[in-house]
Amino acid sequence: MRTEDLGEATTTGTPRILGSMGNSSSLRTRVTDVLREALIVGELEPGVVYSAPALAQRLAVSATPVREAMMELATEGLVEVLRHRGYRVLELSDKTLTDITELRELIEVPASERAATTASADDVAELRKLASTLNTCAAAGELREFIAADTQFHLKLLSLGGNEVLVDEVRRLRGMTRLYGLRDLYASGHLLETAQEHHDIVDAVEARDPHAIRELMTQHLGHIRGVWSGRAEDAESSALS
């Protein structure tokens, strides 16, 4: 078991999640979001023990909101609390990732189809703006911002069905997902391609085409256990092959 190493990146230009937090209107929420995003992309590594003071120093905040955030992440099953030692990032097995993906497909695909009948022109405009933000973040390698915008996009899409419990459950499942392949996608120039898929989804919503939404969302969510997690995808399931 390794203990944290939060020194500067050794590779120039490598996109990082952890960094100074700056000002925030809701510090605990922001700290929790940033740490969750770092877990999702693998910057906080499975099996490694992290201390609240060291994480707080990296985020330029006090240790208290970090401890509160890590306790919240522990209740979500993302980290394990080690008394007097810190917090160990839990490993996510391939089976668990597959189970999460299958559950998300069962929930998100039909829920997203509803947008074909419920989305207003303002909803489409908001989704299009978020899709453009994803393109910008992908081009710049801003992974934290990419994940945040991706979450906003999909929760907005799902919210058009009016089921808040469903939206909250998908938010929880997204936090459990691991997207270790995002860095490699950015390095290879393919992150922008997967970001562009969001525009395709918006096009289908605007065209009020539930069949197209179903196909696009099924392909999009398939990346969770494919290129987004650092695995290859076959030609039928990936637009990136």
Side-chain angles (χ1 to χ4, degrees):
M1 182 191 305
R2 287 202 300 115
T3 313
E4 65 201 321
D5 177 5
L6 295 176
E8 294 298 322
T10 57
T11 304
T12 303
T14 300
R16 305 291 292 178
I17 295 294
L18 294 177
S20 176
M21 287 289 298
N23 295 323
S24 175
S25 58
S26 179
L27 188 57
R28 174 182 173 176
T29 298
R30 194 72 195 102
V31 169
T32 304
D33 288 344
V34 169
L35 291 174
R36 184 184 291 109
E37 289 154 8
L39 282 164
I40 289 173
V41 299
E43 188 168 326
L44 295 182
E45 300 178 41
V48 179
V49 178
Y50 296 91
S51 70
L55 288 170
Q57 182 178 14
R58 187 63 181 268
L59 296 172
V61 298
S62 69
T64 297
V66 172
R67 291 191 181 96
E68 293 172 344
M70 293 301 267
M71 291 302 295
E72 182 172 338
L73 295 176
T75 65
E76 296 176 13
L78 301 178
V79 301
E80 177 186 8
V81 180
L82 301 177
R83 188 174 177 83
H84 303 309
R85 293 184 58 196
Y87 310 89
R88 180 171 57 204
V89 178
L90 295 178
E91 183 75 52
L92 189 69
S93 69
D94 287 345
K95 183 181 185 306
T96 300
L97 181 60
T98 295
D99 289 347
I100 292 171
T101 304
E102 290 180 354
L103 181 55
R104 286 186 58 183
E105 288 173 348
L106 287 171
I107 296 173
E108 292 187 57
V109 173
S112 297
E113 286 183 84
R114 297 179 192 171
T117 57
T118 61
S120 66
D122 287 342
D123 293 328
V124 171
E126 184 176 348
L127 287 170
R128 185 77 69 189
K129 182 178 180 180
L130 287 168
S132 295
T133 298
L134 279 160
N135 281 5
T136 300
C137 294
E142 297 171 343
L143 300 187
R144 178 174 61 82
E145 291 82 356
F146 181 92
I147 293 171
D150 183 61
T151 298
Q152 285 182 274
F153 178 93
H154 288 285
L155 295 186
K156 169 63 180 178
L157 182 65
L158 295 172
S159 73
L160 299 179
N163 189 328
E164 294 182 5
V165 174
L166 181 149
V167 173
D168 286 342
E169 179 61 15
V170 171
R171 181 184 289 110
R172 184 186 72 84
L173 291 171
R174 289 180 66 88
M176 296 174 65
T177 305
R178 296 292 187 269
L179 306 177
Y180 298 157
L182 288 188
R183 293 178 184 276
D184 289 339
L185 283 176
Y186 170 68
S188 66
H190 288 306
L191 187 57
L192 190 57
E193 293 179 37
T194 189
Q196 182 62 33
E197 292 178 12
H198 297 82
H199 283 284
D200 298 335
I201 294 169
V202 179
D203 289 342
V205 172
E206 189 171 30
R208 299 194 176 281
D209 187 343
H211 179 71
I213 294 173
R214 169 174 287 275
E215 288 189 343
L216 289 166
M217 282 298 299
T218 300
Q219 173 186 288
H220 193 66
L221 291 172
H223 297 327
I224 296 171
R225 52 188 168 189
V227 291
W228 289 350
S229 60
R231 298 171 174 83
E233 296 181 24
D234 59 43
E236 293 183 356
S237 63
S238 173
L240 302 179
S241 58

